[in-house]
Amino acid sequence: MAGGTSVAAEASPGSQGGPVWGLTVEHRTDPLGVDANRPRFGWRTRSATRGWSQGAYQILVASSPDKLTPSRADLWNSGRVSSSDSVAVLYKGKPLRASTRYHWTVTVWDSEGRKTGSAPPAVFETGLLSTDGVTGWDAAQWVGMKGKTPNSSGAPMLRRQVALKKRVREARLYVSALGVYEAYVNGRHVTVPQDGGTTIELLPPGSTNYDARVNYMTYDVTDLVRREHADVTLGFVLGNGWYNGRISDGSTYYSADGNALAVKAKLLIRYADGTSQTVVTGPDSGWKATDTGPYRADDIYDGQTYDARKELPGWTAHGFDDAAWSDVERVAFDDKFPDAQLLAYPGETARFMHRWDRRPQSITVATGVTGQDGSPNGRGRIVVDPDRTVTDPAKAASASVTIAGGETAMFDLGQNMVGVARYSLRGPAGAKAEFKFGEMLNDDSAGADGPEGSLYRANLRSAKATSTYILKGDRHGETHQDSLTFYGFRYVSVTATDTVTITGLTGKVATSAIREIGTVTTDDPDINQLASNIRWGQRGNYLWVPTDCPQRDERLGWTGDTQVFSTTGLYNVDAGVFLSHFQDTVVDSQSIYGMDKAQYTGLAPTGRFNFPAGGSGWADCGVILPWTLWQMTGDATVIDRNWPSMTRYLDWIQEQTGDTYAGQGSITGDWLAPQKTSAQLMSDVYYGYSTRLMAQMARAIGRTAEGEAYDRLFGRIRQAFITKYLSTEDGTVTVKSSLGDASPIEPGSDPDQKTEDNSQTALLWVLKLGFYETEAQRRTLVGHLADNIGNDAAYKAAHPNSIRVRYAENTLSVGFLGVNVLAPVLTDEGRADLAYKLLYQDELPSWLFSVKNGATTVWERWNSYSKEDGFGPVGMNSFNHYAYGAIMEWMYAYMAGIARDPDSPGFKHFVLQPRIDPTGRITQVSGSYESPYGEIRSEWKVEDGGRVLAYDAVVPANSEATLRLSAVSADAVREGRTPLTRVDGVRLLGHKDGMASYRLPSGRYHLTARLR
């Protein structure tokens, strides 16, 4: 097997049994290719002693395991440091060398000075520790196939065979591409460790602004090189990826005539006698290339064409005759973009996750179309062959199906997912099979694009999303999966030019969200399905960058979607490094595409669909994402690194709007909201929000004076907002959210629909930011919000011109910029009952509307589809869009009750605040989250007819929590028979409005509380 970007990418830190565990470097376990001169160390502790906390630590770093002692540590002995820190502790030892493995451990003492223990030794390995693409690369160059015309048929395939000199001790492969690559060593696909085995990456090295940065990967290929003692053979297949596909249109590096694809690689071989050898890419070093192989065409949007008749058996192994192949040539990327950096990819790569493979739930064979004349949309319905149709999921998972020309086989995988299909088939040589991908099947509604039961593809817009396979005619069968593209799909339709038999099909899930660290489950199956839909949406859209959708001609890193979902994303998945890397890309895009090199862009990377100004809500991701990462991980490095960029953005807004203290404007506004809010108001609140976050971050990194300046700026923005938007006419307070138009570019919206006062999103943000003057105003605004949501007959009668008259009672009416604040604000304002009612609603618009209508991921629109009305507006209608899944942040923080404390980032101190469902529909919730200090658990169950709450919690060692629990009195909360107020280490904070509050030290708790 081969190693990859991490020695133990999926190894759970909790699998170690000692008191000091979970060692990380740069937030990864035993990582390869660390590109930091001062890496960040982290660890966790465990103790059966309640209230245990760390009092000191000592880190040792050495060049070999036998030197991991205080007297022999030759890189760093931190000495005994009196501190409870165990997150992002900076290395302060001797300079690190490139391509070197280091060993380290940490010893911990408790707060009483007693030695707790030492962690089992861990390792990390540096990368090339350079950014210029020269240092450490041993003269490796970007090379491509000589004479290859960009965009011509055939993917470049490059190989080189080199004699080995001695017995190999270890080998590392460093590789990057302009485009994407598959890498082979000695005939074996280079893999990465996963789930105790190995797996293949999809589309490395991922997506960046190529004129700013390109990533390289590091692989441990020792086992692959050792397989052949005489020679080593390297092979690469190059695809267009994000560099030279339609997706890059509009980028500064885009060329309508195409960009030459290239690879840059270095194989470092270390021999047992201490000597070494390198094999690098270069034009005069024996590399050969061809484009005559089976990879005929590839594009992110359109799919891949593979002609198995053109396979070249053995081309990746030694002994293959490449005499007829072309030479390679240097690709002059460095000349065109001399400032572009070549950097080690800092996180876990996008890869196939075998445990999430999906097998068919049903197979339908269609032989034609009938009923056009009598169907509502004139498209008819497919004619199903019952003899070849399989509806039993157990049988469909492994069934074979034979189709002739003109027939279609439809595979339903039961889950909207992202990746590729792995399929096996038999048929004559030259037969062409087309596998088309889609998220939905057509109904008979006006929005359908084909006969009922056929594959719906209108929402893909111009994306062809087709895997084309030309058979070689192997009578034993043929198996293939695409490697140079990806698809978003639940359904796969198959047609062929000749009779073929599909003997198997599997949906192969690919994602960068590989380690899930949080769960919320309830006793309500609909809510559990919603949580599953959110999780699958994240898996699908966290692919190298956090994308908006994975299926149509977009698949881009929209920053608004990213920022509203980021807290949910970090609860669900260990995604801190992934999102930090994206933030680096956001900063690159600011300088490349942003107005005045200061405005953050609406998406990153690339220039496709970027809007130059008016980006509030999306542009603010550049501030909100670092703040969120700091809050969730406890690592303030992200603030330091991004501070110049963030201040440039805020200064730029001030230059644009001056002493009006208004936002820069927003052309997207509260995107896809049923009730329209002034886009300028949304810009103004986001200006205030970003300013408030800047004040908090400034203080976190010791910039006290700047923090005070941002506090003053926030105060001025607040006052300007109140003066403009808060009306006290007619004896009540009104948020004038009708002052200005909504988004001018939102597709599918009614051009005659007006913005409204007291819109849900406007009220939510006013309450969240405190943009009011008195408590009486606040209470009135909460009442307005409750009335809007309640939407009863009296409200509708009083607001006959509101869009709300079209919708049911207890429905939401927010878009992208209101969805993540809706339930939290309601709960904070004492209306958890409304938050729960909204959660349970399944009429339009609501979260469960999609669940009721068969969704397995979150939709882009509240009305993307309904069984009654069919498909929503096709211009912007993704069935896998995670933004509305931001409700899961509330499910973690309020429903389960695992909430961060803004004053103690990283869950060093956190809040346990389970909010019991006032409606009584949910009576049991279980939540867990693997914080930087260990697993937090919060589980509650209402018993004895609603009179008693049973509550279990785990507070990790070296952290503490504030517990807020519903109870009739402080003494009504008990551990066993003992009132919690009398338990050692627990401190009562008070009892108010039916809520008892305590300070809990670390430990496990099984509590009961009398509710009435």
Side-chain angles (χ1 to χ4, degrees):
M1 80 176 207
T5 55
S6 173
V7 173
E10 181 65 10
S12 171
S15 62
Q16 302 175 44
V20 188
W21 59 284
L23 272 61
T24 61
V25 176
E26 290 294 288
H27 298 287
R28 291 191 290 148
T29 303
D30 294 343
L32 298 181
V34 172
D35 215 8
N37 290 306
R38 295 184 64 198
R40 294 162 288 179
F41 293 84
W43 59 90
R44 292 173 178 145
T45 49
R46 58 164 63 93
S47 174
T49 303
R50 182 173 282 180
W52 188 95
S53 61
Q54 175 184 297
Y57 67 82
Q58 182 178 23
I59 297 173
L60 303 178
V61 181
S63 58
S64 60
D66 59 297
K67 293 181 179 179
L68 275 182
T69 66
S71 61
R72 300 190 65 201
D74 54 346
L75 271 297
W76 187 33
N77 178 349
S78 71
R80 182 166 167 171
V81 179
S82 296
S83 172
S84 66
D85 291 347
S86 60
V87 174
V89 177
L90 278 174
Y91 174 77
K92 297 179 181 178
K94 294 178 181 178
L96 301 175
R97 293 183 297 149
S99 302
T100 302
R101 171 162 289 205
Y102 294 100
H103 304 261
W104 76 286
T105 187
V106 60
T107 300
V108 167
W109 291 263
D110 68 15
S111 56
E112 302 299 318
R114 296 182 293 259
K115 184 176 179 179
T116 299
S118 300
V123 299
F124 68 97
E125 191 170 295
T126 51
L128 301 179
L129 294 180
S130 66
T131 64
D132 59 8
V134 176
T135 306
W137 280 95
D138 292 350
Q141 298 184 45
W142 292 112
V143 297
M145 178 180 169
K146 188 172 185 179
K148 171 74 171 174
T149 302
N151 292 340
S152 60
S153 296
M157 300 161 61
L158 291 77
R159 73 181 305 275
R160 187 186 176 197
Q161 183 173 327
V162 178
L164 296 176
K165 300 174 181 178
K166 307 166 187 176
R167 187 165 63 88
V168 174
R169 176 167 60 87
E170 62 181 9
R172 299 291 182 267
L173 178 63
Y174 306 93
V175 56
S176 184
L178 302 175
V180 296
Y181 66 83
E182 293 181 68
Y184 296 87
V185 175
N186 285 339
R188 302 293 294 268
H189 203 146
V190 174
T191 59
V192 292
Q194 188 62 49
D195 292 344
T198 63
T199 189
I200 297 169
E201 296 170 322
L202 182 64
L203 306 177
S207 175
T208 56
N209 289 306
Y210 291 90
D211 43 346
R213 71 179 67 215
V214 185
N215 288 130
Y216 71 87
M217 306 299 163
T218 304
Y219 303 96
D220 180 350
V221 294
T222 304
D223 290 345
L224 299 185
V225 173
R226 281 177 176 167
R227 288 178 186 275
E228 306 291 343
H229 296 290
D231 300 272
V232 61
T233 301
L234 299 181
F236 298 101
V237 181
L238 301 182
N240 293 303
W242 294 268
Y243 178 64
N244 190 48
R246 291 205 289 131
I247 195 170
S248 62
D249 191 358
S251 301
T252 47
Y253 53 83
Y254 179 76
S255 170
D257 296 327
N259 291 316
L261 304 183
V263 63
K264 188 174 200 172
K266 169 186 170 179
L267 175 65
L268 171 62
I269 302 166
R270 290 189 171 117
Y271 293 111
D273 65 0
T275 62
S276 64
Q277 177 184 1
T278 59
V279 181
V280 300
T281 51
D284 303 313
S285 52
W287 285 89
K288 304 290 283 186
T290 187
D291 62 358
T292 63
Y295 306 85
R296 304 315 306 154
D298 64 272
D299 185 84
I300 294 287
Y301 291 159
D302 295 332
Q304 183 171 326
T305 298
Y306 187 93
D307 188 343
R309 298 171 302 177
K310 294 179 175 292
E311 289 179 342
L312 303 171
W315 76 270
T316 60
H318 74 288
F320 179 82
D321 183 2
D322 59 14
W325 285 28
S326 301
D327 291 331
V328 301
E329 62 184 357
R330 176 177 175 266
V331 173
F333 177 79
D334 298 326
D335 300 340
K336 188 174 181 181
F337 301 111
D339 296 328
Q341 295 183 313
L342 187 56
L343 302 168
Y345 187 75
E348 307 305 342
T349 53
R351 60 193 60 178
F352 289 105
M353 298 292 290
H354 304 313
R355 64 179 127 115
W356 294 328
D357 283 357
R358 306 297 297 187
R359 301 304 301 272
Q361 300 294 294
S362 69
I363 306 172
T364 303
V365 175
T367 58
V369 180
T370 189
Q372 292 96 323
D373 293 341
S375 68
N377 62 9
R379 297 180 182 275
R381 63 185 179 278
I382 62 172
V383 177
V384 176
D385 181 353
D387 293 333
R388 287 180 286 169
T389 293
V390 185
T391 56
D392 180 353
K395 294 179 180 178
S398 57
S400 295
V401 60
T402 300
I403 58 171
E407 297 180 333
T408 302
M410 181 74 69
F411 292 80
D412 177 5
L413 296 170
Q415 172 64 56
N416 202 9
M417 52 165 282
V418 171
V420 300
R422 181 175 179 84
Y423 46 81
S424 298
L425 66 173
R426 288 195 308 270
K432 181 169 69 173
E434 288 191 338
F435 295 74
K436 294 183 180 293
F437 299 84
E439 300 177 292
M440 299 285 285
L441 296 182
N442 278 304
D443 58 12
D444 62 1
S445 68
D449 69 344
E452 183 179 356
S454 66
L455 190 65
Y456 172 76
R457 303 242 297 171
N459 73 318
L460 303 187
R461 302 188 303 212
S462 72
K464 295 182 178 65
T466 301
S467 175
T468 301
Y469 184 85
I470 302 171
L471 284 80
K472 59 187 174 184
D474 189 332
R475 62 187 179 87
H476 298 293
E478 311 173 31
T479 299
H480 174 74
Q481 71 181 51
D482 286 347
S483 57
L484 303 178
T485 190
F486 68 94
Y487 309 96
F489 64 103
R490 170 177 171 171
Y491 301 94
V492 186
S493 75
V494 188
T495 58
T497 58
D498 206 332
T499 299
V500 301
T501 299
I502 300 98
T503 58
L505 187 146
T506 302
K508 303 291 293 183
V509 174
T511 183
S512 297
I514 65 173
R515 197 169 80 85
E516 297 183 342
I517 59 174
T519 61
V520 177
T521 56
T522 76
D523 57 352
D524 188 305
D526 288 342
I527 302 305
N528 292 343
Q529 182 64 53
L530 173 63
S532 173
N533 292 1
I534 294 167
R535 194 177 298 281
W536 273 100
Q538 181 175 7
R539 288 171 185 162
N541 282 296
Y542 273 29
L543 190 115
W544 294 109
V545 298
T547 57
D548 61 327
C549 62
Q551 73 297 92
R552 67 185 181 216
D553 55 355
E554 202 163 337
R555 315 187 196 193
L556 299 168
W558 285 99
T559 47
D561 307 49
T562 298
Q563 64 92 357
V564 300
F565 188 78
S566 58
T567 300
T568 294
L570 288 162
Y571 268 123
N572 279 338
V573 170
D574 182 10
V577 177
F578 172 81
L579 290 175
S580 294
H581 179 262
F582 180 67
Q583 174 67 16
D584 294 340
T585 301
V586 169
V587 173
D588 288 341
S589 291
Q590 177 190 38
S591 297
I592 298 170
Y593 302 108
M595 182 173 284
D596 301 323
K597 301 186 180 298
Q599 156 86 320
Y600 287 119
T601 54
L603 57 82
T606 84
R608 186 175 173 85
F609 301 136
N610 261 327
F611 35 84
S616 286
W618 273 248
D620 296 283
C621 177
V623 173
I624 296 168
L625 187 55
W627 179 85
T628 304
L629 284 162
W630 165 56
Q631 286 285 307
M632 294 295 287
T633 69
D635 185 354
T637 307
V638 67
I639 303 175
D640 270 316
R641 192 172 67 243
N642 289 282
W643 191 254
S645 169
M646 295 189 294
T647 54
R648 188 162 72 247
Y649 172 61
L650 268 294
D651 290 347
W652 177 80
I653 298 176
Q654 284 187 272
E655 292 169 4
Q656 304 300 304
T657 63
D659 58 9
T660 66
Y661 299 108
Q664 57 164 304
S666 179
I667 66 170
T668 44
D670 189 22
W671 190 247
L672 300 183
Q675 185 179 33
K676 300 305 178 188
T677 301
S678 159
Q680 183 59 50
L681 179 145
M682 295 309 304
S683 179
D684 294 352
V685 297
Y686 262 93
Y687 185 24
Y689 185 47
S690 287
T691 300
R692 190 168 77 175
L693 301 187
M694 289 293 286
Q696 296 175 16
M697 288 189 284
R699 286 187 283 272
I701 58 174
R703 296 178 176 269
T704 306
E706 289 174 81
E708 292 172 352
Y710 281 117
D711 280 334
R712 290 191 295 270
L713 176 58
F714 176 80
R716 295 183 183 113
I717 295 169
R718 175 180 177 273
Q719 191 54 54
F721 183 96
I722 291 171
T723 300
K724 180 176 180 179
Y725 294 108
L726 239 60
S727 168
T728 55
E729 296 177 6
D730 304 321
T732 187
V733 62
T734 299
V735 179
K736 304 293 288 184
S737 44
S738 66
L739 291 180
D741 295 330
S743 169
I745 65 168
E746 184 179 297
S749 60
D750 180 354
D752 297 324
Q753 185 181 342
K754 305 298 184 185
T755 51
E756 301 181 29
D757 289 339
N758 287 337
S759 70
Q760 279 187 24
T761 297
L763 288 164
L764 288 164
W765 275 101
V766 166
L767 289 165
K768 178 178 175 66
L769 296 178
F771 281 4
Y772 48 80
E773 293 180 314
T774 66
E775 283 301 296
Q777 287 182 354
R778 182 187 67 79
R779 289 191 294 271
T780 301
L781 294 169
V782 173
H784 288 333
L785 180 59
D787 291 344
N788 185 315
I789 292 169
N791 200 32
D792 59 15
Y795 181 84
K796 291 178 179 178
H799 301 84
N801 297 320
S802 172
I803 196 72
R804 298 292 290 136
V805 300
R806 301 184 189 178
Y807 299 114
E809 295 182 5
N810 296 318
T811 50
L812 54 79
S813 200
V814 298
F816 279 33
L817 298 187
V819 70
N820 65 323
V821 298
L822 176 55
V825 167
L826 283 171
T827 309
D828 288 343
E829 295 294 347
R831 295 307 308 265
D833 59 323
L834 276 180
Y836 272 101
K837 285 180 180 178
L838 285 173
L839 183 66
Y840 299 143
Q841 177 63 265
D842 62 9
E843 295 299 316
L844 190 66
S846 68
W847 286 286
L848 292 188
F849 180 80
S850 61
V851 172
K852 181 177 72 172
N853 282 279
T856 60
T857 42
V858 176
W859 296 344
E860 181 175 17
R861 291 179 176 272
W862 298 115
N863 64 335
S864 281
Y865 179 80
S866 73
K867 296 173 182 176
E868 292 77 17
D869 300 322
F871 296 95
V874 71
M876 200 70 66
N877 198 19
S878 157
F879 292 94
N880 192 351
H881 231 84
Y882 57 56
Y884 287 151
I887 180 60
M888 202 162 180
E889 173 184 344
W890 177 84
M891 294 168 68
Y892 276 106
Y894 293 86
M895 177 187 281
I898 302 172
R900 54 182 172 75
D901 175 359
D903 295 326
S904 182
F907 294 82
K908 177 71 169 173
H909 173 267
F910 58 95
V911 182
L912 293 169
Q913 54 176 22
R915 299 303 175 99
I916 301 169
D917 177 11
T919 73
R921 175 166 161 173
I922 283 181
T923 61
Q924 188 172 346
V925 172
S926 176
S928 68
Y929 168 64
E930 192 178 294
S931 80
Y933 296 91
E935 186 182 50
I936 301 169
R937 297 198 68 87
S938 179
E939 304 175 356
W940 58 265
K941 185 177 182 179
V942 177
E943 300 176 332
D944 194 17
R947 288 185 287 272
V948 174
L949 177 69
Y951 182 65
D952 290 277
V954 175
V955 179
N958 202 31
S959 70
E960 61 177 1
T962 294
L963 171 65
R964 299 171 185 157
L965 205 62
S966 296
V968 294
S969 67
D971 286 341
V973 180
R974 293 175 175 262
E975 185 174 49
R977 296 183 178 181
T978 305
L980 188 57
T981 52
R982 299 183 201 166
V983 171
D984 286 346
V986 175
R987 181 159 56 94
L988 175 66
L989 301 178
H991 182 272
K992 184 179 180 182
D993 299 328
M995 194 76 69
S997 298
Y998 312 84
R999 182 62 66 94
L1000 299 185
S1002 64
R1004 295 179 176 271
Y1005 296 86
H1006 178 67
L1007 310 175
T1008 57
R1010 190 159 46 86
L1011 300 175
R1012 65 176 188 266

